[in-house]
């Protein structure tokens, strides 16, 4: 039996069938008919954000915290273009979101009508796929395909652009059948011969090293990764977005590598005779100068996206497949081993170059504030960050022992990501303790989402590392541009009064002894809370690998001076 439904009803019914319960968005003229249909679907909760970019960031935060597809709505024209940064962020960080945009009525397309924009053309390079819906009869099938594409293989964003009159068009509804996209195949199982080659290299290696990326988290392969590491006694480092894929408190964890990673992790890469890269794309922030990356090592690369294999770094054994599906048979072929000499060497480097020591200071150090947040939360909070120095300090001074406990913008490096993404995280996982660690520059880009936090009654704790600068750029100006601070000094409002204006309590911290009480006060409060940490204005992030240098050449900060370490 068939029934007649409008395009709006078909779309919202399709969302319900896909398991969607939360939507982030802002309405406008072209998408108004869809919003007018929302009351018919009480299963769907709409979160009214204050800017469309934040709708996409919130959808991504929701997706990363829940493992489901995040959904955002925007109207045509500027509403759709405001989504672009958020879509690009999800694209580079492999996060599954479906963006639904309203479009001008079909008869106006191509006529430069009011608020018309070719959003499918604009987003073509930053989506896995996108659609311009031509009629309501095709909408159910398109929506089902969109979700299938977004969540399968290497996840990513899909955009569905719907003309206003399609929302109102009434057609006979037919439930879409099984998805069969002949041109879209997602390899899952790695080639058995390649897996055997990988096992042989692992069994014969003296100094193997695992580099785990976000792909391990996406494929839910953390247990398989742990089994491989423990069985063969292989040390593990992660990428920035791989934080939490392997417990950082584990004896085999050497934390994370790269531009601001641990010195001993970078030294391990430089000395290893075998790199086992799992679900990572050899981003330049992880590898630094690729010509000098892992000079003594053979490389095994496991990734579900064949386009990433050999793109940046030469690979000896490529394995295209899902990390979990590849590690399961690989673990059966890997022989138990003891590599005490290799592990002792890494432990010695860790003692010599601790990377995350915190010096004594009467003033507020961001490292100390974040470490005390770790202590107060027993390491069990989900940390959502902005981008810049705050992001690096949050990655360095909080230990991550479970997947998706560190949620940040990696590939695009989007300032302003933290606050709206924390909205999505808390909406998707209200059971989690969520801390948004932000910088004053990043926070000012999306601070209007404080209104969304209050409207949705979200108990998000916000810690602003307030140094009065665009801190990371200022650090580069100090170290590499003769300390010429051009356009980096940053005025900001009184953040405590600002929070109070939104109905959020806050506290100002300017001395070391105030740090712990402020964090405890935030934790004890049943609702959103803001802490303005007035940190050292010219505090830097160390270690740092200078641009153009290899991972083995990094700046670290001793007691008296900054010195090259080679």
């Amino acid at each position: 039996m068939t029934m007649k439904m409008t395009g709006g009803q078909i779309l919202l019914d399709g969302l319900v069938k896909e398991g969607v319960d939360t939507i982030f968005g802002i309405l406008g003229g072209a998408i108004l008919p869809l919003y007018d249909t929302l009351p018919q679907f009480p299963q769907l909760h709409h979160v009214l954000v204050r800017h469309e970019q934040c709708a996409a960031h919130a959808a991504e935060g929701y997706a990363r915290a829940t493992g489901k597809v995040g959904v955002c709505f925007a109207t045509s024209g500027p509403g759709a273009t405001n989504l672009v940064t958020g879509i690009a962020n999800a694209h580079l960080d492999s996060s599954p979101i479906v963006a639904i945009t309203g479009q001008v009525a079909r008869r106006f397309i191509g006529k430069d009508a009011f608020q018309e924009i070719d959003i499918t053309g604009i987003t073509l390079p930053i989506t896995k796929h996108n659609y311009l819906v031509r009629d309501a009869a095709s909408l159910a099938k398109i929506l089902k395909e969109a979700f299938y594409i977004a969540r399968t293989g290497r996840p990513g964003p899909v955009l569905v652009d719907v003309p206003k009159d399609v929302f109102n068009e009434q057609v006979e509804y037919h439930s879409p059948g099984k998805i069969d996209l002949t041109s879209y195949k997602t390899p899952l199982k790695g080639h058995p011969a390649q897996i055997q080659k990988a096992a042989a290299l692992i069994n014969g290696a003296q100094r193997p090293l695992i580099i785990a990326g976000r792909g391990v988290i996406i494929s839910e392969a953390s247990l398989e990764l742990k089994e491989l590491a423990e069985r063969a006694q292989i040390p593990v480092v992660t990428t920035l977005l791989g934080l939490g894929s392997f417990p950082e408190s584990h004896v085999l964890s050497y934390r994370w590598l790269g531009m601001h990673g641990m010195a001993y992790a970078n030294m391990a890469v430089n000395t290893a005779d075998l790199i086992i890269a799992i679900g990572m794309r050899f981003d330049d922030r992880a590898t630094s100068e690729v010509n000098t990356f892992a000079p003594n090592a053979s490389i095994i690369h496991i990734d579900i996206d064949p386009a990433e294999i050999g793109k940046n770094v030469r690979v000896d054994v490529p394995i295209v497949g899902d990390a979990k599906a590849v590690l399961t048979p690989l673990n059966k072929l890997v022989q138990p081993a003891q590599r005490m000499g290799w592990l002792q060497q890494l432990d010695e480097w860790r003692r010599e170059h601790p990377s995350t020591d915190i010096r004594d200071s009467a003033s507020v150090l961001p490292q100390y504030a974040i470490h005390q947040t770790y202590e107060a939360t027993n390491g069990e909070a989900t940390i959502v960050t902005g981008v810049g120095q705050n992001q690096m300090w949050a990655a360095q001074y909080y230990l991550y022992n479970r997947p998706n406990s560190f949620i940040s913008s990696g590939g695009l490096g989007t300032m302003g990501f933290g606050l709206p993404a924390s909205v999505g995280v808390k909406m998707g996982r209200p059971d989690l303790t969520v801390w948004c660690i932000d910088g004053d520059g990043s926070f000012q880009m999306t601070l209007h989402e404080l209104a969304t936090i209050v409207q949705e009654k979200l108990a998000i704790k916000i810690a602003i590392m307030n140094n009065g600068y665009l801190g990371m750029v200022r650090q580069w100006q100090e170290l590499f541009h003769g300390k010429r601070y051009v356009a980096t000094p940053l005025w900001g409002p009184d953040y405590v009064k600002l929070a109070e204006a939104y109905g959020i309590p806050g506290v100002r911290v300017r001395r070391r002894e105030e740090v712990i009480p402020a964090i405890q006060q935030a934790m004890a409060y049943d609702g959103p809370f803001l802490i303005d940490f007035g940190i050292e204005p010219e505090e830097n992030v160390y270690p740092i690998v200078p641009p153009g240098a290899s991972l083995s050449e990094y700046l670290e900060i001793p007691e008296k001076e900054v010195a090259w370490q080679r």
Side-chain angles (χ1 to χ4, degrees):
M1 179 180 176
T2 60
M3 65 181 78
K4 285 202 169 185
M5 297 174 68
T6 66
Q9 290 172 324
I10 291 171
L11 192 149
L12 296 178
D13 180 70
L15 294 183
V16 172
K17 285 184 168 63
E18 292 292 339
V20 175
D21 52 26
T22 306
I23 300 158
F24 305 90
I26 301 179
L27 75 170
I31 204 170
L32 185 56
L34 181 63
Y35 275 81
D36 194 47
T37 311
L38 263 174
Q40 301 174 30
F41 294 84
Q43 312 97 312
L44 299 172
H45 177 71
H46 181 270
V47 178
L48 180 64
V49 297
R50 284 3 184 216
H51 190 282
E52 291 88 353
Q53 177 182 334
C54 297
H57 290 328
E60 182 175 357
Y62 176 95
R64 288 168 68 170
T66 65
K68 301 196 296 184
V69 177
V71 178
C72 54
F73 286 178
T75 196
S76 64
T81 57
N82 282 345
L83 285 178
V84 169
T85 296
I87 292 171
N89 196 93
H91 172 68
L92 284 172
D93 287 350
S94 303
S95 299
I97 69 171
V98 170
I100 310 293
T101 53
Q103 183 55 276
V104 299
R106 285 170 289 187
R107 68 183 183 278
F108 294 125
I109 291 177
K111 306 290 179 62
D112 291 333
F114 177 67
Q115 291 193 332
E116 181 195 359
I117 201 74
D118 179 10
I119 194 61
T120 54
I122 289 171
T123 59
L124 186 63
I126 55 169
T127 53
K128 284 188 74 176
H129 195 59
N130 61 29
Y131 299 86
L132 173 60
V133 180
R134 299 289 183 177
D135 56 78
S138 62
L139 192 49
K141 181 174 181 293
I142 284 174
L143 194 69
K144 189 169 184 178
E145 286 182 3
F147 274 81
Y148 176 76
I149 292 170
R151 67 165 64 99
T152 55
R154 179 180 180 175
V158 178
L159 181 135
V160 181
D161 193 33
V162 186
K164 181 176 183 178
D165 55 327
V166 171
F167 289 128
N168 291 321
E169 184 181 14
Q170 195 171 63
V171 296
E172 293 284 344
Y173 172 72
H174 299 278
S175 179
K178 183 180 178 181
I179 297 297
D180 183 20
L181 301 174
T182 56
S183 61
Y184 175 70
K185 299 298 180 184
T186 56
L188 292 178
K189 296 180 179 179
H191 195 285
Q194 296 299 94
I195 293 174
Q196 289 177 349
K197 288 180 183 177
L201 277 180
I202 294 169
N203 293 334
Q206 299 297 312
R207 301 182 305 280
L209 180 70
I210 294 170
I211 303 177
R214 180 161 142 70
V216 174
I217 296 172
I218 293 169
S219 68
E220 300 180 349
S222 290
L223 290 178
E224 289 75 14
L225 170 61
K226 189 168 178 281
E227 179 185 347
L228 173 62
E230 292 178 343
R231 181 178 179 82
Q233 288 296 289
I234 303 174
V236 179
V237 301
T238 75
T239 64
L240 180 69
L241 291 191
L243 285 171
S245 61
F246 188 80
E248 289 198 293
S249 59
H250 195 286
V251 67
L252 290 172
S253 170
Y254 293 85
R255 308 210 55 202
W256 53 287
L257 83 163
M259 176 174 282
H260 293 292
M262 305 302 106
Y264 48 84
N266 290 348
M267 295 168 77
V269 172
N270 197 56
T271 310
D273 64 359
L274 177 66
I275 298 292
I276 307 153
I278 309 171
M280 57 92 70
R281 58 190 178 89
F282 294 103
D283 172 77
D284 60 286
R285 283 296 192 266
T287 65
S288 195
E289 178 56 53
V290 293
N291 293 330
T292 59
F293 178 78
N296 304 303
S298 300
I299 295 179
I300 299 166
H301 190 187
I302 302 168
D303 203 284
I304 200 166
D305 186 353
E308 293 297 344
I309 304 287
K311 184 175 77 174
N312 295 327
V313 172
R314 54 149 186 96
V315 175
D316 298 282
V317 180
I319 304 176
V320 178
D322 174 76
K324 190 184 188 79
V326 171
L327 288 178
T328 299
L330 178 63
N331 287 343
K332 296 176 182 177
L333 299 173
V334 170
Q335 298 168 358
Q338 296 294 327
R339 295 184 166 92
M340 293 305 298
W342 176 223
L343 296 175
Q344 287 171 356
Q345 175 66 81
L346 296 186
D347 289 339
E348 183 179 337
W349 287 335
R350 180 156 50 187
R351 286 190 297 271
E352 293 174 350
H353 305 275
S355 295
T356 54
D357 280 356
I358 302 173
R359 71 183 188 276
D360 290 331
S361 174
S363 60
V364 179
L365 295 179
Q367 302 93 329
Y368 179 74
I370 291 168
H371 179 70
Q372 290 305 321
T373 303
Y374 170 77
E375 294 291 336
T377 59
N378 297 314
E380 295 177 356
T382 295
I383 304 299
V384 189
T385 81
V387 165
Q389 289 180 315
N390 68 91
Q391 177 187 31
M392 297 298 106
W393 287 318
Q396 291 176 336
Y397 291 90
Y398 199 103
L399 290 180
Y400 300 93
N401 289 319
R402 61 175 174 81
N404 294 313
S405 54
F406 176 80
I407 295 177
S408 191
S409 170
L412 197 62
T414 306
M415 291 181 66
F417 176 83
L419 199 62
S422 68
V423 169
V425 171
K426 192 65 175 176
M427 289 297 305
R429 290 291 306 275
D431 57 308
L432 296 177
T433 299
V434 177
W435 276 81
C436 174
I437 296 178
D438 222 336
D440 50 332
S442 192
F443 181 75
Q444 287 192 62
M445 290 193 171
T446 52
L447 59 81
H448 40 71
E449 295 310 314
L450 292 174
T452 307
I453 288 171
V454 173
Q455 188 165 348
E456 293 293 334
K457 300 179 175 62
L458 302 176
I460 296 167
K461 315 305 177 182
I462 303 158
I464 302 174
M465 301 298 142
N466 180 5
N467 57 12
Y469 282 103
L470 295 172
M472 187 61 82
V473 184
R474 184 215 56 78
Q475 177 171 337
W476 277 52
Q477 289 173 330
E478 175 187 338
L479 297 180
F480 312 123
H481 296 274
K483 211 171 182 178
R484 293 182 292 277
Y485 293 168
V486 179
T488 47
L490 182 73
W491 181 89
D494 183 323
Y495 295 107
V496 173
K497 288 184 178 179
L498 178 73
E500 289 172 353
Y502 282 96
I504 298 174
V507 63
R508 190 176 296 103
V509 174
R510 295 296 181 267
R511 297 193 304 274
R512 180 187 177 95
E513 62 267 24
E514 298 171 344
V515 170
I516 295 176
I519 295 170
Q520 292 173 339
Q521 187 178 353
M523 291 289 291
Y525 184 73
D526 185 20
F529 196 96
L530 183 144
I531 306 175
D532 174 14
F533 288 108
I535 65 171
E536 284 285 344
E538 295 184 81
E539 187 69 17
N540 287 336
V541 178
Y542 290 104
I544 178 174
V545 178
S550 69
L551 286 182
S552 61
E553 299 176 300
Y554 53 87
L555 289 169
E556 58 182 355
I557 184 164
E559 288 297 320
K560 295 183 179 179
E561 62 180 357
V562 175
W564 278 98
Q565 299 292 326
R566 293 183 184 272

